[in-house]
Amino acid sequence: MKKIITYGTYDLLHYGHINLLQRAKALGDYLIVALSTDEFNWNSKQKKCYFTYEQRKRLLEAVRYVDLVIPEENWEQKISDVKEFKVDTFVMGDDWTGKFDFLKDYCEVVYLPRTPEISTTQIKKDLK
Ligand code: C2G
């Protein structure tokens, strides 16, 4: 069974996120999403989420491409996650290209093109 992992905040879940999850799952058989906790978002990514971790987790668990949701609590957990879950491929959108190449010692690293025009920031701006 080929296991894929990806990381993110996934707040105000939108079709750009779904496009990423769909393509990530297509690379294997089992997709793990490491979902940024509220504390990690606030302390390390300066992101204030609209939905709480539990709400964002529930939304992701309802997505057909997602098999497991685990918490992302810090920047340092990726290597141990890859080892613990026996991950074959790490996937991120290409806004992160190169940033996680250190994982190539442990698994395949794939950066997928982002979906243009849509972002949580844009949604919040438009709603204003
Ligand atoms: N994404 C995308 N297209 C968009 C918006 C987002 O493909 N229009 C992708 C991002 O590239 C990322 C995933 O969807 O792979 C989740 O996006 P965010 O929730 O913004 O994740 P981010 O804040 O970048 O967190 O340790 C890694 C970080 O947790 C990544």
Side-chain angles (χ1 to χ4, degrees):
M1 179 167 67
K2 193 170 177 197
K3 297 176 83 174
I4 317 292
I5 196 167
T6 189
Y7 292 71
T9 300
Y10 288 95
D11 192 33
L12 294 190
L13 194 64
H14 55 67
Y15 63 88
H17 296 135
I18 300 301
N19 289 344
L20 190 284
L21 296 170
Q22 180 176 19
R23 286 174 292 159
K25 178 61 176 281
L27 295 173
D29 310 291
Y30 188 90
L31 175 60
I32 302 165
V33 179
L35 182 62
S36 310
T37 61
D38 296 332
E39 298 75 17
F40 178 56
N41 271 311
W42 183 244
N43 298 330
S44 308
K45 292 162 69 172
Q46 291 71 47
K47 283 190 174 186
K48 176 111 182 63
C49 291
Y50 181 79
F51 289 125
T52 66
Y53 174 81
E54 282 310 319
Q55 291 165 334
R56 291 182 285 119
K57 181 173 185 280
R58 176 146 167 66
L59 281 159
L60 280 177
E61 286 171 340
V63 174
R64 67 175 61 205
Y65 309 115
V66 177
D67 296 290
L68 176 69
V69 179
I70 62 170
E72 177 187 29
E73 297 168 297
N74 57 65
W75 293 111
E76 293 75 32
Q77 70 183 74
K78 293 182 174 67
I79 292 174
S80 56
D81 288 347
V82 167
K83 287 179 181 171
E84 179 185 346
F85 291 96
K86 299 180 177 49
V87 167
D88 299 283
T89 307
F90 168 90
V91 175
M92 284 304 292
D94 61 5
D95 45 320
W96 291 94
T97 297
K99 298 287 189 309
F100 302 114
D101 287 357
F102 64 87
L103 288 170
K104 285 180 178 173
D105 295 337
Y106 305 92
C107 64
E108 195 188 356
V109 174
V110 174
Y111 300 104
L112 297 173
R114 277 173 71 92
T115 302
E117 282 107 46
I118 183 78
S119 70
T120 303
T121 313
Q122 191 60 47
I123 294 170
K124 288 178 179 174
K125 212 181 289 174
D126 291 352
L127 287 175
K128 267 208 177 82

